[in-house]
Amino acid sequence: EKIPFQKESPQARPKKQQDAQRGATPFTTVMLRNLPNNYTRDMLVALLNSKGFLGAFDFLYLPMDFRTHAAMGYAFINMVTAEDAQRLHRTFDGFVQWAVPSSKRCCVSWSDPYQGFDSNMQRYRNSPLMHDSVPDHFRPILFKDGLCIPFPLPTKKTKPPRQGTERMLV
């Protein structure tokens, strides 16, 4: 049984949403929203593993605020199969049992425009997030069979992250 993912708004990409619900496109990348801001990447990985998703995801990115070192409250996760993505939706949409005190209720939707392992990996491979100055726990992470694997080397020189004209993490 396919479970429809929450839409951004009634007008937000209805064709893509309908295609995913009908199984026309094997969508595997989801966006989790309303995550506690004091969650870390490692805490999110541990939560996914504890809910039976060990080995079921191959990409995870929990954006962090470089200034406060707090999570931005959302994450992108690519599941190995479309069935795993549907199972993740059933498990985490409305989830509130966080490892830290929080009243936030998780909301699950499809990631757009990046779908699939290759798309997400390529999106971040040459990103400023991969610059040597960025701590590992701020970066996206790749997995194979539940084990962390190295990101492929960038194909061009990565620049340090910036906000406007100001360098971050300096």
Side-chain angles (χ1 to χ4, degrees):
E1 172 186 326
K2 301 281 181 176
I3 297 175
F5 280 40
Q6 177 177 341
K7 296 179 185 177
E8 307 288 320
S9 70
Q11 298 80 27
R13 311 207 187 278
K15 174 75 170 96
K16 192 173 231 183
Q17 189 75 29
Q18 290 167 1
D19 287 349
Q21 290 171 12
R22 284 194 307 269
T25 309
F27 284 13
T28 57
T29 306
V30 297
M31 181 179 188
L32 300 184
R33 285 198 209 134
N34 297 331
L35 303 178
N37 296 82
N38 50 349
Y39 246 57
T40 65
R41 185 182 74 183
D42 290 343
M43 291 170 75
L44 183 55
V45 169
L47 176 63
L48 290 167
N49 290 342
S50 76
K51 294 298 180 184
F53 291 97
L54 177 66
F57 58 98
D58 53 18
F59 171 89
L60 183 142
Y61 177 46
L62 177 70
M64 304 291 283
D65 183 308
F66 289 136
R67 292 187 198 286
T68 66
H69 296 230
M72 303 291 275
Y74 61 94
F76 298 98
I77 303 168
N78 187 67
M79 306 306 290
V80 174
T81 68
E83 292 77 20
D84 289 331
Q86 291 292 334
R87 188 167 58 92
L88 183 130
H89 178 271
R90 287 191 300 272
T91 303
F92 284 100
D93 197 48
F95 184 86
V96 294
Q97 299 170 336
W98 306 109
V100 297
S102 176
S103 61
K104 290 190 171 188
R105 182 173 296 277
C106 187
C107 190
V108 183
S109 62
W110 293 118
S111 171
D112 187 29
Y114 301 102
Q115 274 295 321
F117 176 84
D118 288 336
S119 178
N120 282 289
M121 184 269 298
Q122 291 298 336
R123 158 71 179 92
Y124 292 101
R125 182 178 196 172
N126 295 308
S127 165
L129 288 169
M130 304 314 275
H131 188 267
D132 291 339
S133 67
V134 177
D136 181 66
H137 62 276
F138 281 19
R139 296 177 180 186
I141 190 168
L142 302 179
F143 295 89
K144 181 163 180 60
D145 301 323
L147 300 175
C148 182
I149 60 171
F151 235 89
L153 294 174
T155 59
K156 58 185 179 182
K157 185 176 178 184
T158 56
K159 297 179 182 179
R162 296 182 162 281
Q163 182 169 0
T165 59
E166 188 178 336
R167 274 193 178 173
M168 304 299 290
L169 299 168
V170 178

